[in-house]
Structures are given as structure tokens and as C-alpha cells.
Amino acid sequence: MKDQRAQADEADVSGKEAAAAQRAEGAAPGAAPQEPPAERPAPAPRGGPAIRPGAWMVPAYAGALLAIFLGERVVPTIEGLRYALSGLGFLTLVLVTALRFATAVRETGERRAVERSLAILSALGVVAVAAYFTTTDAGRAMLGVSRAAPELRARIDAATTVGWIALLVIATVPLFFGEAALAPMRRAERIEVRRVRAATLSGVTLAFAAVYSALFVYAAGQLDLKADFSYYRTARPGESTKRVAESLTEPLKITAFFPQLNDVGAEVEGYLREVKAASPQITVEMQDRLLVPALAKEAKVTQDGVIVLTRDTSREVLIVGADMKTAGAKLKSLDADFQKVLLKVIRAQRIAYMTVGHGELNETASSAEGRTTKNLRKLLESQNYVIKDLGLAQGLGSEIPKDAGVVIVLGPQKEFLPEEVAALQRYADGGGHLLLALDPEAKVDLDPLARVVGLTWKPVTLANDRVYVRRRFNESDQGMLVTTRYSSHASVSTLSRHAQQAPTIFPGASSLDKVEGVDVKADFVVRTLGETFADTNGDFKFDQGSEQRNAYNLAAAVSKEIAPGGDGKEKQELRAFVLADADALTDATFRNEPNIVLALDAFRWLGGEESFAGEITTNEDVRIEHTKEKDQVWFWATILVAPAMVLGLGLFITRRGRRASGRRA
């Protein structure tokens, strides 16, 4: 009885287990139990063994490229080893590429598309290496490039070099990216083709970006341009210096003595190379005086950092220095210093006579408001002029010296004697060169000086209540005229080309006009702005009715042919540059660079060297000067105003952020 009950219990338990198994398999309860499925054998990978050929192709491909590099760049002088490495590397590239195409043909589906793409990239690498072969000596001889003209050969070599490098980068980078994405899936039955394609496209993008950047840098390197933003940057050859170099008709040799691998020497060499490019008559040599002692002794050079200019028997020396700490200031003014010695070499010195005895600005030692002419003297010396005084003792009352290159009358405060005016008149009629700077602040009649060259001088001071320069911060500043109106005359050619960026300053100017019936050519080269008026009562205010706004003449270039040249005779021509304000040539206004250019081009035109007109570049630091009132403004602005603005902005941003947080809450 007990045995029957136990058997029934076991049968019941077996039935429950069978029912549970049927429910787990989705079968309806009560259904007959199913036989367990037979084990299926794991499918064999489609396309070959578990490890596919691509697993060793990438190392083989990279190794082949390395072998070619070693053969062509590391051991190019050992011919046997070179040909062995290069040949083995190229054959390996071809073999790997052929196996890739064979693998692509054997595969099916998505794997075939991936393998075909990688095979094409591998083939591009082979083409790039073949293109490199055309840049070797054997390749040039085989293709006939070695027999081409030098310029054509250089162009072909450059184009081929750029081409094979770009093609190799575009081929190998995507290939390695694609293989890196495919490597984890080589044992899988199916691959994620999108992942491989994305990696390959990323490699293509990176390769093209690298090639573009390299080509951009290469193209930029071929341009003859240089930008230097360092503190000790070297002044580049200015337009004026290049024109002086262009005027050379005889050879000029420039020898710079600097140690090898010297920073200052590298900067000077760059400057001299640009000067040399302006004229085929110039030759430039960079020498180390310790390596060429005979040449240094011949040039009388006993220290480094010296530039020697030699033309026929003329010889000039410019000392720059070889230490960057001490030569930094020289490099900033290199263009001006170099042009000074260049002019000394190419032409003889000239004499500039400045009149004295009438309270001229060149006589006064007072520096009140910068009414001195030290910088004007330096400017003349830089143009190879020797400055001498011209008074009654030197012939001003009888006859101007015959060696006078130019006679300068600079802001006299006393009237000239009739004999002195007559002497200047005879000098002008004989084809002399004059610079007359007349000042209305003298309160004397200077009209006879202007009439020497066929002009009239109107002593009324000009003013402009709309456009002027601040100096004293009162109404008298309206007499500080600013203008950008220049003619196309050679004496202001540089200012005319850069008119809007080159305003000149005339502090306390009068006006000029031409005398009717005088046979001279007068070109009024600088004029005031149209809002200017003649301040007849001296109150610096425009009086409607009694005063009139107009454009007044501030400077004039006067010329007259006295005797034509030819038959061995030198042409004689009167040339005069007249300014209605002597203060335009003082040290105070020379802080404004356009005023320096005005004086420089005027003297060049007077000397018959208008072809040299142009800017002289300089990177010298300009001293910043403030009045007491300006210093107070800067003090309170930095101590109180700026911190208050920063604090206020911080409070505003903080409160705004809190309000935004409250609204979000």
C-alpha cells in the first residue's frame, strides 16, 4: 500500500516538472512533452580561418614603408644596402596590395566592400611610392627631366614632391584608421560596416586637413613677406631706401661682419637681402671676421656687428653690434641709419645754410612747447647735408656762398635787411634752392621774403573751431590746424598717397598766395580744411559776416627754369618750398610722423632727388607724455573708475543669476 502511494507521489512530481517545462517553452499545459533539441554544430566562419589575412597586412605595409625610408634617407650613400631596403620595401607593398585585392574578391557581402576600399587605399600608397621614384636621379634620367631647363626642372621636382607626399598621406592615414576599426571584428561572423566606414572617413578628413595645412605653409613660405611682432623687431627697408637703391648705376658692395649663428646677424641679413632685391647693382656678403682675417683687415673692421658699404673709392661703416641686448635699439632704427650711410656712399655731401641773426628757430635754445629744431638738423644730416650758419659775416648781405645746396630761413622773429633780401633774390634768380618757413607769431613783415620767389604772405592767423588739436585745452587750441589736403606735387608725393592716414599739424599758421604777373610756377601743395577761417580779431571764434570759412594755402612749391641743361652744362632751376608756419618743422610737431615726411620730401625735392621720396620705417618706441591734468585723469581712472566698473558689473551679473535661479525654482 505504501509502495503504491510513494509511486503515485513520484509520478505527480514528474508531471508537475514536465508541465513547468512546457510552460517555459511556450507550450500549452497538458500538451505532450517534447524531446530536447539536438545540439547544432557551430557554423564555420565564412571566408576562411578565424584569423584573416588582414591581421598581418598592416604591420607588413608599415614595415615596407619604413624599409623604403631607411633605404632612401638613412643609408642613401651605401648603394647596395639602399637598393636592398628600397626594393624589398616596394615589393612588399605590391605583394600586400595584391593580397588585399585577392581577399576582396574571395569575400562576400559587406566584408567584400570593406576589403575593396582598403585595397584601393593600399594601391594609392603604391602609386605614391612610384611617384617618389621619379624624384630620384635614376627616375629623372629615365623620364628625361634631368635634361630639362633648370627652372622647368625645379618646377617639376617641386610639383612631384608635393604630389607624392600628399598622396601617401591620403592613402595611409585612412588605411590605418580603417584597419584599426576592423581589427576587433576579424573573428566575428559579421562585421559592423558602418563603424569601419566612419573610421576610414575620419582618416580621410584628417589626411586632407594635414595636406591642406602643409600646402598652405609651403605656399606661404614661398612668398617674400615677413611679419615680426617681437619687441626687438628689425625695421624693414622703407620705400625711400628701396628707391635710393634703385637709383644706383654703379656696383655697390655691402659686407656685414657677424659671427656665425648670431641673432643680430640673422636680422641684419634679412634686411640686406630685401635691399639687394631692389637693385641688381648691389651685392651682399655675410662674413665672420675671425674666419676671414685678411678681408676684415682690408675693411678695417676690428669688432663684430659692422656693416661696410663700398662703392669705387667711397667707403662707409655702420656699427650695429652683435649682442641682441645692446643692438636691439639699433635694429629698430636700422632703416634710417642704413639710408644715411647709403646716401654718403652714392653721392657727395651737400651744404645747407641756415640764416642767423633774426631770432630764427635754429638759433633759439628755449625748449618752451618744443620750439626747437634738433630733429630737423638730424633729418638733414641723415640726408648727407652739412649744416652751416649764414649771417652777414658769411655773405647774407652781399652774396650767398656758391657751395650752398639749399638756404633755409626758419621762422625769423625780426625783419630782414633790404641787402639781405636782395642777396636772396640774386640767389633765387641764379637758380638757387630755398626753404622759407614764415611764422605769423613774429608780428613782423615777412612778405618781402615770400616775394623773393613770387608769393605773397598774409600774416593773419588761421583757426578752425571744428577740427583741431588739443594742447592747452582752451580756445587757443583752435589755432592748431590739422589737414589732409595735399596736391600731387613731387614735394608731397608720400603724403598724397597716404592722405587719410597722414594728417599734418600746423600750430599757428598764416596763408600764402601768388603774386600776379610773376613768371614762376607755384603749386600750393598743402591746403587747410574747408572749415578754416582767418581769425582777424584773434579771439579764435568765428564771427559771422566779418570772417569767412575757406581753404587756405599753407605750403607752396615754386619752380622756374633759369637755364636748360645740355652740352655738358648742368640745368639751372629755381626751386623753393615755402611754409606759412615755421612751427610745422619744430621738435614739437615732429612727434607727428607726417610732419617729418613733409620736411623730408620737401628737402628731397629741393635737392632734385624727388625719386627718393617715400617712408623711412622705424620701430623705435615713442615717448608718451601727459600733462598734469591727463596724469590726474589716468590716476583716478585706474584707481577708482575701473575697479568700480568691474565691481558693478559683477554685482549685476550675480543678481541676474539669482533672479534666474529663483524663476527656475
Side-chain angles (χ1 to χ4, degrees):
M1 189 73 178
K2 291 181 180 180
D3 293 338
Q4 293 178 354
R5 187 177 298 171
Q7 291 176 359
D9 291 340
E10 290 177 0
D12 186 37
V13 171
S14 299
K16 290 180 179 180
E17 291 177 354
Q22 290 177 357
R23 286 195 299 269
E25 295 178 3
Q34 299 180 357
E35 295 291 334
E39 292 187 5
R40 297 179 181 177
R46 298 166 54 193
I51 299 178
R52 298 179 181 275
W56 57 267
M57 287 184 180
V58 174
Y61 197 87
L65 292 176
L66 178 61
I68 295 175
F69 174 79
L70 293 176
E72 297 297 320
R73 297 299 179 184
V74 178
V75 291
T77 57
I78 308 176
E79 293 189 0
L81 185 59
R82 172 193 176 188
Y83 292 139
L85 289 173
S86 299
L88 178 62
F90 185 74
L91 291 176
T92 304
L93 287 181
V94 174
L95 177 61
V96 170
T97 302
L99 289 177
R100 281 194 176 279
F101 278 103
T103 303
V105 171
R106 188 181 59 186
E107 296 287 356
T108 59
E110 295 179 343
R111 194 181 293 270
R112 170 181 286 183
V114 170
E115 293 291 350
R116 184 170 58 245
S117 300
L118 298 179
I120 293 173
L121 293 174
S122 180
L124 286 178
V126 176
V127 173
V129 174
Y132 162 75
F133 175 75
T134 62
T135 64
T136 61
D137 294 337
R140 294 191 190 98
M142 184 181 299
L143 299 176
V145 177
S146 58
R147 296 187 297 273
E151 294 184 359
L152 179 60
R153 185 168 64 249
R155 292 181 180 180
I156 294 175
D157 288 345
T160 308
T161 301
V162 171
W164 78 259
I165 293 176
L167 191 60
L168 185 63
V169 173
I170 294 173
T172 56
V173 174
L175 175 63
F176 293 157
F177 273 50
E179 282 290 351
L182 182 62
M185 298 180 285
R186 289 199 176 276
R187 294 176 178 271
E189 180 179 356
R190 301 184 62 182
I191 63 173
E192 297 183 28
V193 67
R194 292 184 179 180
R195 179 183 298 179
V196 179
R197 287 177 179 174
T200 305
L201 290 177
S202 298
V204 171
T205 303
L206 181 61
F208 273 103
V211 169
Y212 173 80
S213 301
L215 291 177
F216 180 83
V217 173
Y218 175 79
Q222 301 305 308
L223 297 177
D224 191 15
L225 298 175
K226 180 179 179 181
D228 190 353
F229 300 99
S230 61
Y231 180 74
Y232 287 110
R233 59 186 179 275
T234 305
R236 311 317 307 165
E239 182 182 2
S240 175
T241 304
K242 292 180 179 179
R243 291 188 175 184
V244 174
E246 291 172 358
S247 67
L248 290 171
T249 57
E250 297 180 6
L252 171 67
K253 182 179 180 181
I254 304 175
T255 308
F257 291 90
F258 286 89
Q260 295 183 352
L261 304 178
N262 181 262
D263 293 338
V264 181
E267 295 293 329
V268 171
E269 182 179 8
Y271 175 89
L272 296 178
R273 296 299 178 191
E274 292 187 38
V275 174
K276 180 182 181 300
S279 174
Q281 298 289 346
I282 297 177
T283 58
V284 176
E285 292 183 2
M286 301 295 296
Q287 300 288 353
D288 188 338
R289 67 182 182 88
L290 299 180
L291 299 180
V292 286
L295 181 61
K297 182 178 180 180
E298 180 184 356
K300 300 179 181 179
V301 174
T302 59
Q303 62 179 3
D304 293 326
V306 177
I307 304 174
V308 180
L309 288 76
T310 308
R311 179 175 175 265
D312 291 337
T313 58
S314 300
R315 176 182 173 275
E316 291 294 331
V317 175
L318 175 61
I319 300 176
V320 179
D323 186 4
M324 183 61 77
K325 294 182 179 179
T326 57
K330 284 285 188 179
L331 292 177
K332 293 181 179 182
S333 60
L334 180 60
D335 189 44
D337 297 337
F338 180 81
Q339 186 181 122
K340 182 178 179 179
V341 296
L342 179 61
L343 289 173
K344 289 182 179 181
V345 170
I346 66 175
R347 65 167 170 79
Q349 277 190 330
R350 297 178 179 180
I351 300 177
Y353 283 96
M354 286 187 171
T355 61
V356 295
H358 312 88
E360 287 89 347
L361 293 178
N362 48 287
E363 285 188 291
T364 59
S366 174
S367 59
E369 295 187 344
R371 298 193 82 225
T372 53
T373 58
K374 295 179 181 179
N375 289 326
L376 181 63
R377 285 179 174 270
K378 293 180 180 179
L379 182 66
L380 285 168
E381 291 171 355
S382 71
Q383 299 303 300
N384 202 19
Y385 278 93
V386 177
I387 302 173
K388 295 183 178 181
D389 292 337
L390 179 61
L392 290 174
Q394 290 81 25
L396 179 58
S398 56
E399 185 180 4
I400 305 298
K402 298 294 185 181
D403 60 353
V406 60
V407 174
I408 303 171
V409 181
L410 195 59
Q413 304 298 303
K414 299 177 183 179
E415 295 184 12
F416 274 55
L417 297 175
E419 294 81 6
E420 295 173 329
V421 175
L424 291 174
Q425 185 70 63
R426 289 191 295 272
Y427 175 71
D429 294 341
H433 298 166
L434 288 162
L435 186 140
L436 306 177
L438 311 178
D439 196 350
E441 297 180 9
K443 305 301 180 184
V444 295
D445 186 15
L446 301 178
D447 188 62
L449 291 175
R451 288 183 177 273
V452 169
V453 293
L455 300 177
T456 60
W457 175 68
K458 300 177 181 179
V460 179
T461 303
L462 305 178
N464 191 321
D465 55 358
R466 299 178 183 175
V467 182
Y468 55 91
V469 176
R470 286 283 190 184
R471 182 173 63 175
R472 304 185 185 94
F473 291 88
N474 54 35
E475 292 181 349
S476 66
D477 288 342
Q478 297 178 15
M480 298 278 294
L481 302 182
V482 180
T483 184
T484 56
R485 298 189 61 179
Y486 314 109
S487 74
S488 58
H489 193 267
S491 60
V492 290
S493 58
T494 306
L495 294 175
S496 179
R497 289 194 300 271
H498 309 283
Q500 298 305 317
Q501 295 80 31
T504 48
I505 300 175
F506 290 80
S510 51
S511 60
L512 301 168
D513 210 339
K514 183 181 178 182
V515 176
E516 296 294 337
V518 179
D519 186 21
V520 295
K521 181 182 179 182
D523 190 333
F524 294 103
V525 295
V526 183
R527 307 189 73 194
T528 67
L529 300 179
E531 305 89 351
T532 308
F533 60 91
D535 189 21
T536 55
N537 55 12
D539 61 353
F540 298 102
K541 295 181 181 179
F542 177 68
D543 299 325
Q544 191 72 32
S546 61
E547 297 174 349
Q548 184 179 2
R549 298 186 186 274
N550 201 350
Y552 295 86
N553 302 319
L554 295 175
V558 182
S559 61
K560 179 182 178 181
E561 184 176 318
I562 305 300
D567 297 334
K569 295 182 179 180
E570 186 177 354
K571 178 181 178 181
Q572 293 183 353
E573 181 184 21
L574 161 66
R575 288 194 176 189
F577 194 84
V578 186
L579 285 166
D581 182 18
D583 288 311
L585 303 179
T586 59
D587 294 338
T589 53
F590 267 29
R591 297 171 186 170
N592 180 47
E593 187 174 349
N595 281 69
I596 302 176
V597 176
L598 173 66
L600 184 60
D601 282 2
F603 281 114
R604 284 170 174 161
W605 176 74
L606 289 172
E609 297 174 337
E610 54 268 25
S611 61
F612 297 171
E615 296 176 303
I616 298 177
T617 60
T618 177
N619 293 319
E620 291 184 288
D621 296 329
V622 179
R623 184 179 179 183
I624 300 175
E625 296 184 356
H626 292 157
T627 61
K628 182 178 180 181
E629 292 78 7
K630 288 183 178 179
D631 287 335
Q632 290 180 353
V633 171
W634 280 106
F635 175 79
W636 291 112
T638 55
I639 298 301
L640 183 61
V641 177
M645 292 178 62
V646 174
L647 179 60
L649 180 63
L651 291 175
F652 173 75
I653 295 175
T654 302
R655 294 189 63 182
R656 186 176 180 181
R658 290 178 179 176
R659 291 177 181 176
S661 299
R663 286 194 297 268
R664 287 195 298 268

